[in-house]
Amino acid sequence: MSLDRFNQLAKKWDSKPERVEGALCFVDEIFKTIKEDTSNFNTLDYGCGSGLVSFALMEQVKTVTGMDFSTGMIDIYNQKIQSLEFNNISSLLHDINNQELDFNTYDLAVTNMTMHHIKDTNIFIKKLSSSLKPNGYLCIADLEIEDGTFHSCNDGVEHFGFNINNIEKSYKDNNLKNIIVKQLQVINKPNNNFSVFIAIGQKI
Ligand SMILES: C[S@@+](CC[C@H](N)C(=O)[O-])C[C@H]1O[C@@H](n2cnc3c(N)ncnc32)[C@H](O)[C@@H]1O
């Protein structure tokens, strides 16, 4: 989906139950896997959208920074921030294709269902890895190879999913250790079933 399309979809993003369930499933698996105290973690949610992942994990970490290139999505995200009495969340308009991320900054970087919209996934993983402090965690959830029918419109879809062996290699190439790559969930649609993987690694 293109930037325009994400801006249009933003207001209705949370209305699809599978999006909400997918984000909750991702967050649940992250905290099942990270077996240390995360209450002091500064967290990046890249391609945060309306904040389904950010708001699901905010109570278990110190801070969350949501970044996304869609003003429509960031507006919804900010409305949610304002409706909370206390929050540890902030947002930033950011395009990973054209901008850098701060180095050595986050204890946890998460990104859900965003990477298939990014052309150069090696640069994406490189930038996210570089933003981590030593021992920080990178957690990616996205589609495994699919037949191109996951989206009703493939405008802005750069990849029809990923081969998990390539993801694991990319994690290794970017100095990540303790790598786990496995199936996270299956999204059932009338036309097909789509497997979603989770990849977790820790910065050396
Ligand atoms: C499928 S949505 C996922 C949103 C959210 N992570 C979730 O789980 O609901 C993908 C998100 O990636 C964002 N995105 C796509 N390309 C981007 C880019 N080049 N830089 C930053 N954000 C991007 C879109 O605006 C959109 O919010």
Side-chain angles (χ1 to χ4, degrees), residues 1 5 150-157:
M1 274 173 268
R5 186 104 178 92
F150 181 78
H151 300 85
S152 52
C153 161
N154 280 323
D155 180 20
V157 175

Side-chain angles (χ1 to χ4, degrees), residues 162-203:
F162 299 95
N163 177 324
I164 57 173
N165 295 326
N166 294 342
I167 302 297
E168 186 168 356
K169 181 175 183 315
S170 193
Y171 267 47
K172 283 184 185 150
D173 291 346
N174 283 288
N175 293 328
L176 294 163
K177 62 180 178 182
N178 302 331
I179 301 166
I180 298 169
V181 189
K182 62 179 185 183
Q183 188 179 63
L184 177 65
Q185 60 154 344
V186 176
I187 300 175
N188 300 307
K189 294 199 179 192
N191 59 319
N192 214 336
N193 300 325
F194 300 91
S195 178
V196 175
F197 71 85
I198 182 168
I200 301 183
Q202 221 178 340
K203 182 81 175 283

Side-chain angles (χ1 to χ4, degrees), residues 1-3 5-7 13-14 19-20 22-23 26 45-54 67-71 73-74 92-99 110-119 124 150-151 156:
M1 274 173 268
S2 65
L3 176 55
R5 186 104 178 92
F6 280 118
N7 284 333
W13 191 256
D14 296 1
R19 289 183 183 144
V20 180
F26 180 44
D45 178 7
Y46 202 88
C48 60
S50 63
L52 292 176
V53 170
S54 296
M67 295 189 194
D68 203 288
F69 77 162
S70 158
T71 47
M73 290 290 191
I74 291 290
L92 194 65
L93 205 55
H94 187 281
D95 184 345
I96 199 76
N97 292 331
N98 303 313
Q99 292 172 268
V110 304
T111 180
N112 186 43
M113 300 297 273
T114 294
M115 192 162 69
H116 62 264
H117 296 290
I118 309 294
K119 195 170 214 153
F124 184 65
F150 181 78
H151 300 85

